[in-house]
Amino acid sequence: MNACLPDIRSAVRIDCQGLGSLIAAIRRRGYQVIGPHLQDGAISYGPIQEIEDLPIGWTAEQGPAFYRLQRRSDSAMFQYAAGPKSLKDFIHPSEIRLFSAVREEGAFRILPNSDPAPRYAFLGVRACELAAAGIQDRVLLEGRYSDPIYRARRGNSIIIAVQCSAPSEVCFCTSMGTGPRAEAGFDLALTELIGPGSHEFVVEVGTQLGAELLSEIEFSDASPDLRNQAQAATQAAAASIQRRLDTNGLREVLRDNFDHPHWDDVAQRCLACGNCTQVCPTCFCVNVEDSTDVAGQTAERWRRWDSCYSLAFTYIHGGSVRVSTKSRYRQWLTHKLSYWHDQFASSGCVGCGRCIAWCPAGIDLTQEVAAIRAATNQTEGTK
Amino acid sequence: MKSKPKIGVFKFASCDGCQLSLLDCEDELVALAGAVDIAFFPEMSSNMRKGPYDIGLVEGSVTTHHDASRIHEIRKQCRTLVAIGACSTAGGIQALRNWHDSKQWVAQVYAHPEYIQTLGMSTPISDHVPIDFELRGCPVSKHQLLELVSATLAGRRPNIPTYSVCMECKRKGNVCVAVAQNLACLGPATQAGCGAICPSFGRGCYGCFGPAETPNTVILADQLLREGRAQETVVRDFRSFNAWAWPNRQASERKGAV
Ligand code: SF4
Ligand code: SF4
Ligand code: SF4
């Protein structure tokens, strides 16, 4: 044990055993550790008890409508890019009962949900995911109304980030200014360094809580050389990202192209299945449903993730507003990349690429935007 | 207290699986029996009482002349008529006959084909009479069946979503089997309701709940072909329990299909 408390913003070195001790230290404090693990052919987020639960020696190849696990030749634990789940799955749960009510002597009594919010410690969180959580904070916490479910879970959480050094083909955080390096928003941030005969981590300290956790485990000073290696790893990651989304004037480009023929082209390919919205770490829409039992004695109110791709989403008296697939895809993309700025003062996209990989039709927003842009430039050129 | 709503359950061409889902309600069956008056349900009781009924649940498709007229009589007797299951909402698996000459099949199967009187097509209830609601599935989900009854009793709209299976699949936290394992999954074009059972067990969705609200079945079929599947395989994917539902027909009969 190191009796000393490392400084905030300093960096130290731990090895694999140290990581194991870190997981144990977090668990001792009563947190449930959520980190990367293998689930049905993907590196997804799930409960982690010990270091062996991590995807040791695995990575994944990603592309439009494509995700495949791959074996690595080493025992890396974090050399993969963002997977199917994100923090959203835990702090903005996909379904939750808001309350129930029972009938009693001609009246009814409301039973609040008394379950305490889970205390999550997220391990392996990427820069784009921190940016996404920041966006969800603005929407769900910092607006006029703050969501108590999100607030409790988010406020309770510990974040152990991982600096990306193996981006995938669908990543474009460099275009969105969200990664691959996480600068803030974490308690601790690890950079995994694997060399011949060595497997170690540079740990950046983000908060007092992070420093306290470190003080409970073995660590040593990170040599300047090791710190340079860590810097170089994320720089190389940034340089390896090929995918681009040109954000220059994007807000106006989409706003001004409501009737662009390319929307029809996308509608010819889109299944209106809603997957893109469900995997997007910033999409937050929910539906609230009341139900009653057969005997009419109890009622419940549930909140579930919804999607702008469903007809019911815009159902008002007389029918749905956005009936065509075209109008629904257009709504999603323009909200995400244009109106989001008006509403929440940032883009709604962090460049994680989930909507590209997990769209069963392989629709790629970076290409759709490029197509709208190209055609727009052309028309402007001929004017 | 107002009188309990009177319910009738009627069977057409079907396997009885949907009616069994009703009997399968075990825990809720007592509450159900207390809340409604099950007046006609031959599968459950030989005590069959005459209509009219407040709610009629119809299982099965129309495949005989007799049934084609019987459904009109039932419609007249039921204030609310609900088609339950893939047979009654889409024609069922027996609608595969619609692409073939059923007389030939009858001749091959039965020793005395002259005793068999059947229509050339298996058609959904809504082809014959107006219906008030549809519960999809092969079989229907017991949860949705109870939701429908509870909602009707409480006078509220039932929470029966018409979006895709993918929505339920993602809410469950599944890893998409189409993307991560290249399995043929009809989820993106199939209506939710089953709780994404098959993807939850590592199989692609078979489409038991029929086409979703605005399904792009043709695009999905193209995608399945592009990924290297044989034409016959893709046609078969769309020709199962809900083969005769129009969007599935579009996919299986599209240009170039067998
Ligand atoms: S829009 Fe797509 S790339 Fe952007 S944050 Fe959402 S899922 Fe990631
Ligand atoms: S863009 Fe892709 S994931 Fe999104 S609704 Fe369309 S087909 Fe589904
Ligand atoms: S496994 Fe099937 S149902 Fe689930 S998300 Fe993928 S395509 Fe949709």
mmCIF file of all heavy atoms in Angstrom, chain B residues 84-130:
data_model
loop_
_atom_site.group_PDB
_atom_site.id
_atom_site.type_symbol
_atom_site.label_atom_id
_atom_site.label_comp_id
_atom_site.label_asym_id
_atom_site.label_seq_id
_atom_site.Cartn_x
_atom_site.Cartn_y
_atom_site.Cartn_z
ATOM 1 N N ILE B 84 -56.748 -12.844 -33.177
ATOM 2 C CA ILE B 84 -55.549 -13.185 -32.402
ATOM 3 C C ILE B 84 -54.686 -14.213 -33.145
ATOM 4 O O ILE B 84 -55.151 -15.261 -33.568
ATOM 5 C CB ILE B 84 -55.875 -13.676 -30.967
ATOM 6 C CG1 ILE B 84 -56.730 -14.945 -30.976
ATOM 7 C CG2 ILE B 84 -56.589 -12.595 -30.158
ATOM 8 C CD1 ILE B 84 -56.778 -15.625 -29.600
ATOM 9 N N GLY B 85 -53.425 -13.880 -33.312
ATOM 10 C CA GLY B 85 -52.457 -14.811 -33.881
ATOM 11 C C GLY B 85 -52.264 -14.669 -35.384
ATOM 12 O O GLY B 85 -53.081 -14.079 -36.097
ATOM 13 N N ALA B 86 -51.146 -15.223 -35.842
ATOM 14 C CA ALA B 86 -50.732 -15.068 -37.240
ATOM 15 C C ALA B 86 -51.769 -15.629 -38.218
ATOM 16 O O ALA B 86 -51.953 -15.099 -39.312
ATOM 17 C CB ALA B 86 -49.382 -15.740 -37.459
ATOM 18 N N CYS B 87 -52.479 -16.720 -37.844
ATOM 19 C CA CYS B 87 -53.475 -17.285 -38.758
ATOM 20 C C CYS B 87 -54.589 -16.279 -39.009
ATOM 21 O O CYS B 87 -54.970 -16.021 -40.147
ATOM 22 C CB CYS B 87 -54.068 -18.563 -38.179
ATOM 23 S SG CYS B 87 -52.851 -19.849 -37.900
ATOM 24 N N SER B 88 -55.100 -15.705 -37.930
ATOM 25 C CA SER B 88 -56.244 -14.811 -38.091
ATOM 26 C C SER B 88 -55.836 -13.438 -38.607
ATOM 27 O O SER B 88 -56.636 -12.750 -39.227
ATOM 28 C CB SER B 88 -57.015 -14.688 -36.778
ATOM 29 O OG SER B 88 -56.322 -13.873 -35.877
ATOM 30 N N THR B 89 -54.580 -13.016 -38.371
ATOM 31 C CA THR B 89 -54.184 -11.686 -38.833
ATOM 32 C C THR B 89 -53.528 -11.724 -40.202
ATOM 33 O O THR B 89 -53.481 -10.717 -40.902
ATOM 34 C CB THR B 89 -53.228 -10.996 -37.835
ATOM 35 O OG1 THR B 89 -52.058 -11.808 -37.668
ATOM 36 C CG2 THR B 89 -53.886 -10.778 -36.486
ATOM 37 N N ALA B 90 -52.977 -12.894 -40.603
ATOM 38 C CA ALA B 90 -52.269 -12.929 -41.886
ATOM 39 C C ALA B 90 -52.557 -14.162 -42.736
ATOM 40 O O ALA B 90 -52.099 -14.247 -43.862
ATOM 41 C CB ALA B 90 -50.757 -12.839 -41.641
ATOM 42 N N GLY B 91 -53.309 -15.122 -42.199
ATOM 43 C CA GLY B 91 -53.580 -16.330 -42.978
ATOM 44 C C GLY B 91 -52.791 -17.532 -42.501
ATOM 45 O O GLY B 91 -53.061 -18.661 -42.904
ATOM 46 N N GLY B 92 -51.765 -17.277 -41.667
ATOM 47 C CA GLY B 92 -51.017 -18.373 -41.046
ATOM 48 C C GLY B 92 -50.116 -19.143 -41.983
ATOM 49 O O GLY B 92 -49.987 -18.825 -43.165
ATOM 50 N N ILE B 93 -49.524 -20.200 -41.462
ATOM 51 C CA ILE B 93 -48.595 -21.030 -42.250
ATOM 52 C C ILE B 93 -49.366 -21.720 -43.376
ATOM 53 O O ILE B 93 -48.832 -22.002 -44.447
ATOM 54 C CB ILE B 93 -47.878 -22.049 -41.319
ATOM 55 C CG1 ILE B 93 -46.683 -22.708 -42.019
ATOM 56 C CG2 ILE B 93 -48.817 -23.134 -40.813
ATOM 57 C CD1 ILE B 93 -45.431 -21.905 -41.972
ATOM 58 N N GLN B 94 -50.665 -21.957 -43.117
ATOM 59 C CA GLN B 94 -51.476 -22.646 -44.129
ATOM 60 C C GLN B 94 -51.703 -21.776 -45.366
ATOM 61 O O GLN B 94 -52.155 -22.267 -46.391
ATOM 62 C CB GLN B 94 -52.815 -23.123 -43.531
ATOM 63 C CG GLN B 94 -53.708 -22.062 -42.923
ATOM 64 C CD GLN B 94 -53.369 -21.766 -41.463
ATOM 65 O OE1 GLN B 94 -52.234 -21.936 -41.040
ATOM 66 N NE2 GLN B 94 -54.359 -21.305 -40.707
ATOM 67 N N ALA B 95 -51.343 -20.493 -45.274
ATOM 68 C CA ALA B 95 -51.471 -19.624 -46.453
ATOM 69 C C ALA B 95 -50.401 -19.937 -47.493
ATOM 70 O O ALA B 95 -50.427 -19.381 -48.594
ATOM 71 C CB ALA B 95 -51.402 -18.154 -46.048
ATOM 72 N N LEU B 96 -49.493 -20.849 -47.189
ATOM 73 C CA LEU B 96 -48.522 -21.264 -48.211
ATOM 74 C C LEU B 96 -49.248 -21.891 -49.397
ATOM 75 O O LEU B 96 -48.741 -21.918 -50.506
ATOM 76 C CB LEU B 96 -47.513 -22.263 -47.620
ATOM 77 C CG LEU B 96 -46.485 -21.668 -46.653
ATOM 78 C CD1 LEU B 96 -45.619 -22.764 -46.066
ATOM 79 C CD2 LEU B 96 -45.613 -20.633 -47.359
ATOM 80 N N ARG B 97 -50.459 -22.383 -49.138
ATOM 81 C CA ARG B 97 -51.249 -22.966 -50.225
ATOM 82 C C ARG B 97 -51.599 -21.901 -51.276
ATOM 83 O O ARG B 97 -51.887 -22.236 -52.414
ATOM 84 C CB ARG B 97 -52.534 -23.579 -49.677
ATOM 85 C CG ARG B 97 -53.543 -22.514 -49.221
ATOM 86 C CD ARG B 97 -54.938 -23.049 -49.081
ATOM 87 N NE ARG B 97 -55.060 -23.956 -47.933
ATOM 88 C CZ ARG B 97 -56.225 -24.339 -47.438
ATOM 89 N NH1 ARG B 97 -57.346 -23.943 -47.977
ATOM 90 N NH2 ARG B 97 -56.269 -25.149 -46.411
ATOM 91 N N ASN B 98 -51.595 -20.643 -50.864
ATOM 92 C CA ASN B 98 -52.032 -19.577 -51.765
ATOM 93 C C ASN B 98 -51.154 -19.459 -53.014
ATOM 94 O O ASN B 98 -51.550 -18.856 -53.993
ATOM 95 C CB ASN B 98 -52.071 -18.230 -51.026
ATOM 96 C CG ASN B 98 -53.029 -18.254 -49.850
ATOM 97 O OD1 ASN B 98 -53.621 -19.296 -49.546
ATOM 98 N ND2 ASN B 98 -53.200 -17.124 -49.182
ATOM 99 N N TRP B 99 -49.947 -20.006 -52.941
ATOM 100 C CA TRP B 99 -49.052 -19.950 -54.102
ATOM 101 C C TRP B 99 -49.160 -21.222 -54.957
ATOM 102 O O TRP B 99 -48.468 -21.370 -55.925
ATOM 103 C CB TRP B 99 -47.599 -19.781 -53.646
ATOM 104 C CG TRP B 99 -47.242 -18.375 -53.278
ATOM 105 C CD1 TRP B 99 -46.868 -17.372 -54.131
ATOM 106 C CD2 TRP B 99 -47.226 -17.804 -51.970
ATOM 107 N NE1 TRP B 99 -46.619 -16.222 -53.427
ATOM 108 C CE2 TRP B 99 -46.825 -16.447 -52.094
ATOM 109 C CE3 TRP B 99 -47.518 -18.301 -50.691
ATOM 110 C CZ2 TRP B 99 -46.687 -15.593 -50.995
ATOM 111 C CZ3 TRP B 99 -47.384 -17.449 -49.602
ATOM 112 C CH2 TRP B 99 -46.978 -16.110 -49.755
ATOM 113 N N HIS B 100 -49.985 -22.154 -54.493
ATOM 114 C CA HIS B 100 -50.017 -23.451 -55.182
ATOM 115 C C HIS B 100 -51.454 -23.879 -55.456
ATOM 116 O O HIS B 100 -52.390 -23.209 -55.071
ATOM 117 C CB HIS B 100 -49.307 -24.509 -54.326
ATOM 118 C CG HIS B 100 -47.878 -24.167 -54.074
ATOM 119 N ND1 HIS B 100 -46.871 -24.507 -54.941
ATOM 120 C CD2 HIS B 100 -47.303 -23.478 -53.062
ATOM 121 C CE1 HIS B 100 -45.710 -24.036 -54.466
ATOM 122 N NE2 HIS B 100 -45.947 -23.410 -53.334
ATOM 123 N N ASP B 101 -51.572 -25.031 -56.084
ATOM 124 C CA ASP B 101 -52.890 -25.579 -56.367
ATOM 125 C C ASP B 101 -53.252 -26.531 -55.234
ATOM 126 O O ASP B 101 -52.754 -27.652 -55.164
ATOM 127 C CB ASP B 101 -52.845 -26.319 -57.713
ATOM 128 C CG ASP B 101 -54.189 -26.941 -58.039
ATOM 129 O OD1 ASP B 101 -55.156 -26.697 -57.287
ATOM 130 O OD2 ASP B 101 -54.262 -27.678 -59.037
ATOM 131 N N SER B 102 -54.128 -26.078 -54.337
ATOM 132 C CA SER B 102 -54.382 -26.875 -53.136
ATOM 133 C C SER B 102 -55.123 -28.167 -53.465
ATOM 134 O O SER B 102 -55.039 -29.140 -52.736
ATOM 135 C CB SER B 102 -55.137 -26.052 -52.098
ATOM 136 O OG SER B 102 -56.386 -25.686 -52.589
ATOM 137 N N LYS B 103 -55.852 -28.163 -54.574
ATOM 138 C CA LYS B 103 -56.578 -29.390 -54.956
ATOM 139 C C LYS B 103 -55.607 -30.549 -55.134
ATOM 140 O O LYS B 103 -55.856 -31.663 -54.713
ATOM 141 C CB LYS B 103 -57.331 -29.156 -56.265
ATOM 142 C CG LYS B 103 -58.626 -28.396 -56.084
ATOM 143 C CD LYS B 103 -59.621 -28.772 -57.207
ATOM 144 C CE LYS B 103 -60.778 -27.797 -57.248
ATOM 145 N NZ LYS B 103 -60.434 -26.540 -57.959
ATOM 146 N N GLN B 104 -54.466 -30.225 -55.747
ATOM 147 C CA GLN B 104 -53.441 -31.234 -55.976
ATOM 148 C C GLN B 104 -52.942 -31.802 -54.654
ATOM 149 O O GLN B 104 -52.797 -33.011 -54.495
ATOM 150 C CB GLN B 104 -52.264 -30.571 -56.685
ATOM 151 C CG GLN B 104 -51.937 -31.197 -58.009
ATOM 152 C CD GLN B 104 -50.740 -30.481 -58.626
ATOM 153 O OE1 GLN B 104 -50.053 -29.692 -57.978
ATOM 154 N NE2 GLN B 104 -50.506 -30.750 -59.891
ATOM 155 N N TRP B 105 -52.705 -30.898 -53.723
ATOM 156 C CA TRP B 105 -52.205 -31.323 -52.406
ATOM 157 C C TRP B 105 -53.219 -32.219 -51.718
ATOM 158 O O TRP B 105 -52.882 -33.249 -51.158
ATOM 159 C CB TRP B 105 -51.900 -30.099 -51.521
ATOM 160 C CG TRP B 105 -50.676 -29.361 -51.926
ATOM 161 C CD1 TRP B 105 -49.848 -29.668 -52.954
ATOM 162 C CD2 TRP B 105 -50.142 -28.192 -51.296
ATOM 163 N NE1 TRP B 105 -48.818 -28.762 -53.019
ATOM 164 C CE2 TRP B 105 -48.978 -27.846 -52.013
ATOM 165 C CE3 TRP B 105 -50.538 -27.415 -50.210
ATOM 166 C CZ2 TRP B 105 -48.204 -26.745 -51.672
ATOM 167 C CZ3 TRP B 105 -49.764 -26.330 -49.870
ATOM 168 C CH2 TRP B 105 -48.605 -25.992 -50.595
ATOM 169 N N VAL B 106 -54.487 -31.806 -51.768
ATOM 170 C CA VAL B 106 -55.549 -32.580 -51.126
ATOM 171 C C VAL B 106 -55.553 -33.989 -51.707
ATOM 172 O O VAL B 106 -55.638 -34.990 -50.986
ATOM 173 C CB VAL B 106 -56.920 -31.895 -51.316
ATOM 174 C CG1 VAL B 106 -58.054 -32.811 -50.893
ATOM 175 C CG2 VAL B 106 -56.971 -30.593 -50.520
ATOM 176 N N ALA B 107 -55.383 -34.079 -53.022
ATOM 177 C CA ALA B 107 -55.390 -35.376 -53.681
ATOM 178 C C ALA B 107 -54.216 -36.237 -53.217
ATOM 179 O O ALA B 107 -54.325 -37.460 -53.112
ATOM 180 C CB ALA B 107 -55.338 -35.185 -55.195
ATOM 181 N N GLN B 108 -53.102 -35.591 -52.950
ATOM 182 C CA GLN B 108 -51.923 -36.347 -52.522
ATOM 183 C C GLN B 108 -52.037 -36.813 -51.072
ATOM 184 O O GLN B 108 -51.546 -37.877 -50.712
ATOM 185 C CB GLN B 108 -50.658 -35.484 -52.657
ATOM 186 C CG GLN B 108 -50.148 -35.402 -54.090
ATOM 187 C CD GLN B 108 -49.116 -34.287 -54.266
ATOM 188 O OE1 GLN B 108 -48.755 -33.614 -53.309
ATOM 189 N NE2 GLN B 108 -48.675 -34.104 -55.489
ATOM 190 N N VAL B 109 -52.694 -36.013 -50.245
ATOM 191 C CA VAL B 109 -52.689 -36.276 -48.809
ATOM 192 C C VAL B 109 -53.838 -37.194 -48.373
ATOM 193 O O VAL B 109 -53.654 -38.085 -47.557
ATOM 194 C CB VAL B 109 -52.738 -34.954 -48.016
ATOM 195 C CG1 VAL B 109 -52.906 -35.211 -46.518
ATOM 196 C CG2 VAL B 109 -51.475 -34.142 -48.282
ATOM 197 N N TYR B 110 -55.016 -36.986 -48.925
ATOM 198 C CA TYR B 110 -56.191 -37.698 -48.412
ATOM 199 C C TYR B 110 -56.586 -38.867 -49.307
ATOM 200 O O TYR B 110 -56.553 -38.770 -50.537
ATOM 201 C CB TYR B 110 -57.376 -36.747 -48.266
ATOM 202 C CG TYR B 110 -57.113 -35.659 -47.245
ATOM 203 C CD1 TYR B 110 -56.673 -34.398 -47.629
ATOM 204 C CD2 TYR B 110 -57.293 -35.920 -45.890
ATOM 205 C CE1 TYR B 110 -56.419 -33.411 -46.698
ATOM 206 C CE2 TYR B 110 -57.034 -34.942 -44.949
ATOM 207 C CZ TYR B 110 -56.600 -33.687 -45.352
ATOM 208 O OH TYR B 110 -56.343 -32.731 -44.429
ATOM 209 N N ALA B 111 -57.003 -39.951 -48.641
ATOM 210 C CA ALA B 111 -57.430 -41.134 -49.385
ATOM 211 C C ALA B 111 -58.704 -40.827 -50.172
ATOM 212 O O ALA B 111 -58.903 -41.316 -51.273
ATOM 213 C CB ALA B 111 -57.654 -42.288 -48.416
ATOM 214 N N HIS B 112 -59.565 -40.011 -49.577
ATOM 215 C CA HIS B 112 -60.819 -39.656 -50.254
ATOM 216 C C HIS B 112 -60.934 -38.144 -50.400
ATOM 217 O O HIS B 112 -61.683 -37.499 -49.664
ATOM 218 C CB HIS B 112 -62.018 -40.212 -49.480
ATOM 219 C CG HIS B 112 -62.162 -41.679 -49.594
ATOM 220 N ND1 HIS B 112 -62.694 -42.291 -50.711
ATOM 221 C CD2 HIS B 112 -61.801 -42.670 -48.743
ATOM 222 C CE1 HIS B 112 -62.671 -43.599 -50.548
ATOM 223 N NE2 HIS B 112 -62.112 -43.863 -49.360
ATOM 224 N N PRO B 113 -60.209 -37.587 -51.329
ATOM 225 C CA PRO B 113 -60.211 -36.124 -51.482
ATOM 226 C C PRO B 113 -61.610 -35.575 -51.733
ATOM 227 O O PRO B 113 -61.884 -34.411 -51.436
ATOM 228 C CB PRO B 113 -59.280 -35.879 -52.674
ATOM 229 C CG PRO B 113 -59.033 -37.203 -53.301
ATOM 230 C CD PRO B 113 -59.313 -38.248 -52.288
ATOM 231 N N GLU B 114 -62.520 -36.401 -52.221
ATOM 232 C CA GLU B 114 -63.861 -35.885 -52.505
ATOM 233 C C GLU B 114 -64.598 -35.452 -51.238
ATOM 234 O O GLU B 114 -65.573 -34.715 -51.278
ATOM 235 C CB GLU B 114 -64.678 -36.915 -53.316
ATOM 236 C CG GLU B 114 -65.004 -38.219 -52.600
ATOM 237 C CD GLU B 114 -63.896 -39.281 -52.743
ATOM 238 O OE1 GLU B 114 -62.746 -38.910 -53.070
ATOM 239 O OE2 GLU B 114 -64.179 -40.472 -52.509
ATOM 240 N N TYR B 115 -64.151 -35.955 -50.060
ATOM 241 C CA TYR B 115 -64.783 -35.544 -48.810
ATOM 242 C C TYR B 115 -64.280 -34.184 -48.321
ATOM 243 O O TYR B 115 -64.829 -33.621 -47.381
ATOM 244 C CB TYR B 115 -64.516 -36.569 -47.692
ATOM 245 C CG TYR B 115 -65.159 -37.912 -47.930
ATOM 246 C CD1 TYR B 115 -64.596 -39.063 -47.395
ATOM 247 C CD2 TYR B 115 -66.339 -38.008 -48.668
ATOM 248 C CE1 TYR B 115 -65.185 -40.304 -47.615
ATOM 249 C CE2 TYR B 115 -66.921 -39.243 -48.891
ATOM 250 C CZ TYR B 115 -66.345 -40.389 -48.361
ATOM 251 O OH TYR B 115 -66.924 -41.590 -48.568
ATOM 252 N N ILE B 116 -63.195 -33.693 -48.872
ATOM 253 C CA ILE B 116 -62.586 -32.454 -48.381
ATOM 254 C C ILE B 116 -63.128 -31.262 -49.157
ATOM 255 O O ILE B 116 -63.027 -31.218 -50.381
ATOM 256 C CB ILE B 116 -61.044 -32.496 -48.529
ATOM 257 C CG1 ILE B 116 -60.451 -33.745 -47.875
ATOM 258 C CG2 ILE B 116 -60.403 -31.218 -47.967
ATOM 259 C CD1 ILE B 116 -60.548 -33.788 -46.375
ATOM 260 N N GLN B 117 -63.742 -30.368 -48.418
ATOM 261 C CA GLN B 117 -64.211 -29.142 -49.068
ATOM 262 C C GLN B 117 -63.413 -27.981 -48.513
ATOM 263 O O GLN B 117 -63.541 -27.625 -47.350
ATOM 264 C CB GLN B 117 -65.690 -28.934 -48.780
ATOM 265 C CG GLN B 117 -66.546 -29.903 -49.558
ATOM 266 C CD GLN B 117 -67.983 -29.460 -49.576
ATOM 267 O OE1 GLN B 117 -68.377 -28.588 -48.802
ATOM 268 N NE2 GLN B 117 -68.767 -30.050 -50.454
ATOM 269 N N THR B 118 -62.591 -27.435 -49.341
ATOM 270 C CA THR B 118 -61.751 -26.358 -48.839
ATOM 271 C C THR B 118 -61.602 -25.282 -49.901
ATOM 272 O O THR B 118 -61.757 -25.542 -51.096
ATOM 273 C CB THR B 118 -60.379 -26.928 -48.400
ATOM 274 O OG1 THR B 118 -59.567 -25.868 -47.933
ATOM 275 C CG2 THR B 118 -59.656 -27.630 -49.534
ATOM 276 N N LEU B 119 -61.291 -24.075 -49.431
ATOM 277 C CA LEU B 119 -61.077 -22.967 -50.366
ATOM 278 C C LEU B 119 -59.651 -23.040 -50.916
ATOM 279 O O LEU B 119 -58.771 -23.629 -50.284
ATOM 280 C CB LEU B 119 -61.282 -21.637 -49.645
ATOM 281 C CG LEU B 119 -62.690 -21.349 -49.139
ATOM 282 C CD1 LEU B 119 -62.684 -20.168 -48.168
ATOM 283 C CD2 LEU B 119 -63.637 -21.076 -50.313
ATOM 284 N N GLY B 120 -59.427 -22.415 -52.016
ATOM 285 C CA GLY B 120 -58.096 -22.419 -52.615
ATOM 286 C C GLY B 120 -57.106 -21.554 -51.852
ATOM 287 O O GLY B 120 -55.893 -21.685 -52.011
ATOM 288 N N MET B 121 -57.634 -20.654 -51.002
ATOM 289 C CA MET B 121 -56.768 -19.706 -50.298
ATOM 290 C C MET B 121 -57.047 -19.751 -48.799
ATOM 291 O O MET B 121 -58.162 -20.012 -48.376
ATOM 292 C CB MET B 121 -57.073 -18.272 -50.758
ATOM 293 C CG MET B 121 -57.017 -18.060 -52.251
ATOM 294 S SD MET B 121 -55.460 -17.308 -52.714
ATOM 295 C CE MET B 121 -55.776 -15.635 -52.209
ATOM 296 N N SER B 122 -55.996 -19.462 -48.032
ATOM 297 C CA SER B 122 -56.170 -19.239 -46.590
ATOM 298 C C SER B 122 -56.031 -17.740 -46.368
ATOM 299 O O SER B 122 -55.010 -17.149 -46.722
ATOM 300 C CB SER B 122 -55.085 -19.981 -45.813
ATOM 301 O OG SER B 122 -55.080 -19.534 -44.470
ATOM 302 N N THR B 123 -57.063 -17.127 -45.815
ATOM 303 C CA THR B 123 -57.055 -15.659 -45.715
ATOM 304 C C THR B 123 -57.326 -15.178 -44.286
ATOM 305 O O THR B 123 -57.990 -15.859 -43.507
ATOM 306 C CB THR B 123 -58.122 -15.056 -46.661
ATOM 307 O OG1 THR B 123 -59.322 -15.804 -46.508
ATOM 308 C CG2 THR B 123 -57.664 -15.085 -48.107
ATOM 309 N N PRO B 124 -56.799 -13.992 -43.972
ATOM 310 C CA PRO B 124 -57.007 -13.447 -42.625
ATOM 311 C C PRO B 124 -58.460 -13.016 -42.422
ATOM 312 O O PRO B 124 -59.189 -12.756 -43.379
ATOM 313 C CB PRO B 124 -56.077 -12.242 -42.587
ATOM 314 C CG PRO B 124 -55.828 -11.866 -43.997
ATOM 315 C CD PRO B 124 -55.919 -13.152 -44.791
ATOM 316 N N ILE B 125 -58.848 -12.923 -41.162
ATOM 317 C CA ILE B 125 -60.215 -12.529 -40.795
ATOM 318 C C ILE B 125 -60.570 -11.165 -41.403
ATOM 319 O O ILE B 125 -61.684 -10.950 -41.876
ATOM 320 C CB ILE B 125 -60.353 -12.473 -39.250
ATOM 321 C CG1 ILE B 125 -60.061 -13.852 -38.625
ATOM 322 C CG2 ILE B 125 -61.716 -11.967 -38.827
ATOM 323 C CD1 ILE B 125 -60.957 -14.971 -39.102
ATOM 324 N N SER B 126 -59.602 -10.266 -41.425
ATOM 325 C CA SER B 126 -59.894 -8.906 -41.898
ATOM 326 C C SER B 126 -60.200 -8.867 -43.404
ATOM 327 O O SER B 126 -60.682 -7.861 -43.906
ATOM 328 C CB SER B 126 -58.730 -7.968 -41.573
ATOM 329 O OG SER B 126 -57.564 -8.422 -42.225
ATOM 330 N N ASP B 127 -59.927 -9.954 -44.133
ATOM 331 C CA ASP B 127 -60.342 -10.014 -45.540
ATOM 332 C C ASP B 127 -61.846 -10.226 -45.655
ATOM 333 O O ASP B 127 -62.417 -10.052 -46.724
ATOM 334 C CB ASP B 127 -59.647 -11.182 -46.258
ATOM 335 C CG ASP B 127 -58.271 -10.807 -46.779
ATOM 336 O OD1 ASP B 127 -57.762 -9.744 -46.372
ATOM 337 O OD2 ASP B 127 -57.703 -11.582 -47.587
ATOM 338 N N HIS B 128 -62.478 -10.631 -44.551
ATOM 339 C CA HIS B 128 -63.886 -11.016 -44.599
ATOM 340 C C HIS B 128 -64.807 -10.067 -43.855
ATOM 341 O O HIS B 128 -65.893 -9.763 -44.326
ATOM 342 C CB HIS B 128 -64.050 -12.445 -44.059
ATOM 343 C CG HIS B 128 -63.260 -13.438 -44.845
ATOM 344 N ND1 HIS B 128 -63.785 -14.154 -45.886
ATOM 345 C CD2 HIS B 128 -61.943 -13.776 -44.774
ATOM 346 C CE1 HIS B 128 -62.835 -14.916 -46.416
ATOM 347 N NE2 HIS B 128 -61.706 -14.700 -45.760
ATOM 348 N N VAL B 129 -64.362 -9.626 -42.675
ATOM 349 C CA VAL B 129 -65.183 -8.704 -41.875
ATOM 350 C C VAL B 129 -64.277 -7.633 -41.272
ATOM 351 O O VAL B 129 -63.080 -7.861 -41.099
ATOM 352 C CB VAL B 129 -65.922 -9.445 -40.721
ATOM 353 C CG1 VAL B 129 -66.926 -10.452 -41.252
ATOM 354 C CG2 VAL B 129 -64.919 -10.114 -39.780
ATOM 355 N N PRO B 130 -64.840 -6.477 -40.926
ATOM 356 C CA PRO B 130 -64.013 -5.482 -40.243
ATOM 357 C C PRO B 130 -63.654 -5.974 -38.839
ATOM 358 O O PRO B 130 -64.500 -6.577 -38.175
ATOM 359 C CB PRO B 130 -64.923 -4.241 -40.150
ATOM 360 C CG PRO B 130 -66.147 -4.553 -40.931
ATOM 361 C CD PRO B 130 -66.224 -6.028 -41.129
#
